[in-house]
Each structure stands twice: as C-alpha cells, then as structure tokens.
Amino acid sequence: MNTPTLPRIGWIDIDRATAERIGPVLQTDKNGFFYCTAGRIALGLDGRTFEIRRGDLYLYPPFSQTYLGEASDDLKGVMGIADFDFVRTALQAVTDTTGILLREHPCIALDDEQRARIEELIGAVRRRREDGEGLLQTQLLAALGRAVCYEIMLAYARSYPLRPLPPERHDRVFQDFLFALNRHFRTRRDVAFYAGLCCLTPRHFTTVIRTRSGRTAHQWITRTVIAEASRRLSDPAAGIKQIAEELGFPNQSFFGRYFKQHTGLSPSEFRAVRRSDDRAALFEPARF
C-alpha cells in the first residue's frame, strides 16, 4: 500500500513575546492564518492595518508580507501554514480569484459557533500530538490538520459570497502566474516562460503583473527563489551545493553569485548571520 502524500500543514502558538521575536515582517510562500484567542495585535498587509482581536481570523496569501505591529500583553493565538496547492484546491468552491480575494479581504470575525468548532479541532490536534509518533499517528494528525483548514475556509466562505463578480483579466493572469511560479520556480526563472503559460508576450505580461501587484514578474521570480534559498540555508544539515542543485542552478558558484547579488551576502555569510539570530529558527511550525 502506498503512503499517501500529506500536505504541509502546521502551526505554532503565539503570544506577545513570540510575535516580537518573529517580527517585524512575516514572509512565506505558503498560505497561512492567525487565529486570535485572547488580546489583540495589529497586522499590516499591502499598506493597510488590521486590528485583530479575540475571535478574529486573519488569512494571508502566499508570496505576501505581513507586518506584525503592536500586540497587547495578553495576546494569545495560533499561527498556521498550509501548502499553496492544498488551499487553492480547497477554496475553488469559494471563488476563482482566491489569491486576490484574500489580499483584499484577509480578516473576518468569527461567530460563537465557528469559534467553538475551530477551537475544538485545535484542541484535538494538541492532544493527539502528545500520543507519540508512527505512520498512523502522522496520518491522523494530517487529517485533523486538514479538518482545521477546511473549518477555517468554510468560515471564510460564509463571510464572502459563493458567487463573486467575474474576475478581471489582470486578476486571473496574476493568480495564474503565482500558481505557476509556485510549481516551477526551482527550474524556471525566465519571464518568457511564465508569459507563455498565460499566452501573453513577455512585455505585456510584465506590464500586467506590475499593474496588478506593484512588482514586475522578474521581481516576483527573484523574491520567490531567494525566499526558498534562505529557508533552505537556515537548515544547517543542507549543503550549499545540494541547495544549488535543488534550485536548478548549474553549480554552487553560480548560486553563490546570484544569492549575493540579491541579498548582499554569500550563502555562507547568510548562514553565519542566521546562526547568530534565533528569530530565523522560530517560525518552524509543528507539522501535522
């Protein structure tokens, strides 16, 4: 019997001290959420600030930056992540422009019934995580993790109509680009490739992406590659040569020049800085 492929879903518990050590900017290539169970925190996305209080749910799309602002002393909550493909597929019933919708409306207030259901599932995951390890245990935790995500997405779907206005062409191109980028960035870094997938010329494609997101397609590609390279370099067990191969670079030297060009540090220098800063190791959610 084949072992099923499990989505990467996980979380960490958040209080004020943890938020300050993670912040000031949370950036990930995954979908994520923050569910506040006590206190309050200010979160910023795309130039807007959202005051998140008990019972509020904040969902952030992949390839975005969330700014962690002032938090109350009694802040408590759960911050989670889930694979881009998993959330995209599950939310197809909500809207065809999920990434756009989340960027424009990332925050919802849950009612008492929704809070009770989500907190019940979170409690079940916490209890099960104490039961040891093993294949069945891992699969059970993955199933519970999916249930948490589906419950969250169901609450989001009920806050926004299931019949959204037809997406504009630029919205669809931007969403399709992010989806393709998530799949291919390890092997393709040329704008022409992504433009071709959207049946546009590279010049027009770049204009569309910049108009919709404020960044060029090339900037999105670079940003995604560097984010993944930084994540892998944070793992001391991964060799730099291995990381270069995983990201499709012809050799370690080429990877080193590319990384330094965009970060100002060589991969080795970046690792040295990371080791001296424990913030980098903090956002490692417990896997389901």
Side-chain angles (χ1 to χ4, degrees):
M1 182 175 64
N2 293 330
T3 301
T5 300
L6 303 177
R8 183 174 182 240
I9 308 170
W11 67 46
I12 56 174
D13 294 312
I14 296 291
D15 57 17
R16 179 176 179 178
T18 305
E20 289 177 347
R21 286 150 62 192
I22 291 175
V25 180
L26 174 65
Q27 179 177 327
T28 176
D29 63 347
K30 308 290 182 181
N31 288 279
F33 69 88
F34 175 69
Y35 172 53
C36 183
T37 57
R40 59 176 176 78
I41 185 172
L43 299 177
L45 176 69
D46 292 342
R48 294 172 297 157
T49 300
F50 302 89
E51 188 79 8
I52 310 300
R53 298 179 179 273
R54 182 184 182 278
D56 288 346
L57 185 64
Y58 173 85
L59 293 93
Y60 50 91
F63 314 113
S64 63
Q65 288 183 325
T66 292
Y67 292 84
L68 282 65
E70 182 181 358
S72 63
D73 292 337
D74 59 342
L75 174 69
K76 298 289 182 184
V78 174
M79 183 175 288
I81 60 170
D83 279 335
F84 180 55
D85 290 356
F86 169 69
V87 174
R88 174 188 168 96
T89 301
L91 272 179
Q92 285 300 313
V94 183
T95 173
D96 288 333
T97 55
T98 302
I100 306 300
L101 187 65
L102 288 181
R103 295 188 91 98
E104 294 178 352
H105 305 285
C107 184
I108 62 173
L110 302 177
D111 60 32
D112 291 341
E113 182 178 353
Q114 290 168 335
R115 288 199 299 267
R117 287 177 177 173
I118 291 173
E119 290 177 9
E120 180 182 4
L121 287 169
I122 289 175
V125 171
R126 286 196 175 112
R127 291 189 295 272
R128 282 295 183 180
R129 278 167 52 185
E130 298 174 356
D131 291 343
E133 300 179 354
L135 179 59
L136 288 177
Q137 173 73 1
T138 299
Q139 293 181 15
L140 176 59
L141 284 171
L144 287 171
R146 287 195 294 270
V148 173
C149 289
Y150 279 120
E151 196 68 60
I152 285 173
M153 289 184 286
L154 180 60
Y156 189 85
R158 288 179 175 171
S159 294
Y160 293 97
L162 295 180
R163 297 177 181 175
L165 294 173
E168 293 184 2
R169 170 63 174 161
H170 286 192
D171 290 348
R172 180 62 63 87
V173 170
F174 180 54
Q175 176 187 319
D176 289 348
F177 169 52
L178 291 185
F179 183 60
L181 182 60
N182 182 66
R183 286 186 174 276
H184 299 293
F185 75 88
R186 292 176 180 82
T187 57
R188 301 303 299 259
R189 289 187 287 277
D190 51 309
V191 173
F193 170 77
Y194 297 99
L197 293 179
C198 295
C199 300
L200 297 174
T201 66
R203 183 174 181 178
H204 182 46
F205 177 73
T206 294
T207 299
V208 169
I209 299 303
R210 185 188 310 204
T211 299
R212 189 59 190 86
S213 70
R215 295 188 179 92
T216 66
H218 183 265
Q219 288 171 328
W220 277 105
I221 295 168
T222 301
R223 177 191 180 101
T224 303
V225 173
I226 292 299
E228 178 64 10
S230 300
R231 186 185 71 82
R232 294 293 287 123
L233 287 167
S234 298
D235 178 6
I240 296 177
K241 181 180 179 181
Q242 173 191 347
I243 295 171
E245 292 174 352
E246 291 174 355
L247 291 176
F249 287 92
N251 52 60
Q252 182 175 333
S253 297
F254 193 92
F255 169 61
R257 290 194 297 272
Y258 181 93
F259 190 83
K260 186 165 187 176
Q261 176 186 351
H262 296 291
T263 67
L265 298 172
S266 70
S268 298
E269 291 169 338
F270 177 84
R271 272 194 159 155
V273 172
R274 273 313 232 214
R275 280 195 295 268
S276 65
D277 186 352
D278 63 357
R279 283 193 218 168
L282 236 133
F283 193 62
E284 285 296 326
R287 302 286 183 86
F288 293 165

